[in-house]
Amino acid sequence: MDGVNYLHVKVGGLLFVATTRVNLSPALVLELLQRIARVTKDYLGILNEDSLRKNFVLVYELLDEMIDFGYPQTTSTEALKSFVFNEPVVIDAARLPSLGPAALFIQGSKRVPGTSVTKSVVANEPGGRKREEVFVDIIEKISVTFNAAGYILTSEIDGTIQMKSYLSGNPEIRVALNEDLSIGRNEYGGGFGGGVGMVILDDCNFHESVRLDDFETDHYLTLVPPDGEFPVMNYRMTQEFKPPFKVFPVIEEAGPFKAEIVLKVRADFPATVTANTVVLRVPLPKTTSRVSFEMEPGAVGQSTDFKEANKTIEWSCRKIVGGSEHTLRAKLTLTQERNANIKKEAGPISMSFTIPMFNASRLAVRYLQVVKKSKSYNPYRWVRYVTHSNSYVIRT
């Protein structure tokens, strides 16, 4: 607009915006904004409007060090500690809803304290004592497209192993992954002859602090974690994997001005795992004027809505336990008689969900070892998993 390019990312309900008059690479600017958001969260502990207001001077000082005259300088929390001297005003996390991926893990595990990942990496703890702990999060975003018969057309996993360290003295850490892990599809005859249970990643990249001396033979990563939150490893997998949900839609005419859609959702993951905030969206024919819903008997935590503006129905389930099935029946009233096939006008169905303590790739952390000379040193170590839907589409 008027010769100015605007780029933004949304993190924790906040917009981080950059402007430029030069034709820069958009990926560069978006990566810079993501890193600015990450550094700000490292310093403030909680990233929201309240924490930004109370730490305006600190955030201004951080931006001043990260960018000089429009040129990025450093986005390392570790390096910035030498230049930034303002102490953060810590917000009481107990009064606020947790933001970001950390909140999802806390829902799935009662053992993790609610304020554990909402601490500043630079602020002193009340009473002067510091809780020694390290968090390793395996976060996966899955994309799956099913055809009308229910078979998988495309599937992909974008994953990251994220670490946040609150360990004093920056000790060395070893992260051991699956023993049957393989990188690259060609090593085992195109990736399909590697044996049952083998985890085969297409490609991956590592943080600059990671040493890979023993990765090829023993499949463990050695690193001295810098302060703050950072991705230890990013990976991609297009191997066939078992999708967490199967959707069985039935769409048929029920009269000249009537149609009916039946949706059945099956959770194909263990009963010990529970999916949160599951939402199915179904585009309807443009001539739909009214929709009535029938839920299964005893349905709890489910809601339905007909978005008349864009002719879409939404079915929301607060929780779905592994191994369970749920059904919804929607009766449509149309303004004109059907001339074409109703299946061509309804769909495709899209689905969004979050599954704590579950990962579709089966990539796992076997152990997390903190190397320290003292035998009495035994910090808290948390390894957590979460799977998000990136694009989950069922054609009708």
Side-chain angles (χ1 to χ4, degrees), residues 15-33:
L15 291 173
F16 289 78
V17 186
T19 61
T20 173
R21 291 186 179 275
V22 186
N23 187 21
L24 282 176
S25 160
L28 168 72
V29 184
L30 295 175
E31 176 66 22
L32 174 65
L33 290 172

Side-chain angles (χ1 to χ4, degrees), residues 106 109-117 131 133 135 382 384:
I106 291 158
S109 173
K110 293 177 183 175
R111 296 178 298 117
V112 183
T115 57
S116 55
V117 276
R131 183 180 163 103
E133 54 191 340
F135 295 86
W382 307 100
R384 307 166 306 178

Side-chain angles (χ1 to χ4, degrees), residues 76-322:
S76 162
T77 303
E78 182 90 15
L80 286 165
K81 284 173 77 174
S82 308
F83 309 110
V84 175
F85 301 105
N86 274 293
E87 281 285 318
V89 179
V90 180
I91 308 297
D92 182 10
R95 294 186 298 104
L96 299 163
S98 299
L99 298 172
L104 306 169
F105 295 115
I106 291 158
Q107 292 170 18
S109 173
K110 293 177 183 175
R111 296 178 298 117
V112 183
T115 57
S116 55
V117 276
T118 55
K119 296 187 301 187
S120 167
V121 295
V122 293
N124 292 319
E125 297 278 307
R129 291 191 64 187
K130 185 178 179 183
R131 183 180 163 103
E132 298 279 319
E133 54 191 340
V134 59
F135 295 86
V136 175
D137 303 330
I138 293 88
I139 303 166
E140 294 188 343
K141 294 181 179 178
I142 63 174
S143 302
V144 185
T145 304
F146 299 89
N147 67 8
Y151 293 106
I152 297 172
L153 297 175
T154 61
S155 60
E156 185 173 338
I157 297 173
D158 278 311
T160 182
I161 300 177
Q162 197 91 357
M163 182 178 285
K164 190 159 189 176
S165 171
Y166 295 103
L167 303 175
S168 56
N170 294 83
E172 185 176 272
I173 290 180
R174 285 187 189 145
V175 181
L177 304 177
N178 307 55
E179 290 181 340
D180 55 357
L181 176 67
S182 173
I183 311 295
R185 296 171 68 89
N186 297 323
E187 191 175 334
Y188 293 95
F192 295 101
V196 177
M198 178 164 256
V199 177
I200 303 175
L201 307 179
D202 288 53
D203 47 58
C204 60
N205 58 51
F206 302 91
H207 189 264
E208 60 203 27
S209 65
V210 176
R211 295 205 314 274
L212 300 169
D213 309 346
D214 303 298
F215 185 65
E216 288 290 329
T217 53
D218 298 323
H219 296 119
Y220 66 76
L221 312 171
T222 308
L223 68 150
V224 175
D227 283 335
E229 193 172 356
F230 67 98
V232 176
M233 168 182 168
N234 296 310
Y235 57 92
R236 189 172 62 92
M237 175 180 171
T238 55
Q239 275 290 105
E240 213 169 282
F241 60 90
K242 188 176 182 180
F245 287 102
K246 288 294 290 288
V247 180
F248 305 94
V250 177
I251 304 171
E252 54 190 23
E253 293 183 34
F257 296 92
K258 302 279 185 184
E260 195 168 273
I261 297 176
V262 179
L263 297 176
K264 187 169 86 169
V265 177
R266 188 179 72 208
D268 285 341
F269 46 87
T272 53
V273 175
T274 301
N276 298 330
T277 56
V278 181
V279 181
L280 283 91
R281 296 176 180 87
V282 188
L284 303 177
K286 299 300 179 196
T287 56
T288 305
S289 61
R290 199 170 72 248
V291 181
S292 62
F293 298 98
E294 282 182 21
M295 289 196 214
E296 59 197 354
V300 178
Q302 297 185 24
S303 62
T304 54
D305 191 16
F306 171 46
K307 307 281 187 185
E308 196 163 0
N310 54 6
K311 304 294 184 186
T312 304
I313 57 173
E314 282 189 7
W315 179 23
S316 303
C317 303
R318 196 169 69 245
K319 289 183 178 181
I320 291 184
V321 179

Side-chain angles (χ1 to χ4, degrees), residues 32 36 39-40 43 55-75 80 83-86:
L32 174 65
I36 289 172
V39 168
T40 308
Y43 269 80
N55 289 281
F56 181 79
V57 176
L58 171 60
V59 174
Y60 192 89
E61 189 182 5
L62 284 169
L63 287 171
D64 196 36
E65 294 295 342
M66 284 191 276
I67 300 173
D68 269 353
F69 299 102
Y71 290 92
Q73 300 299 310
T74 179
T75 54
L80 286 165
F83 309 110
V84 175
F85 301 105
N86 274 293

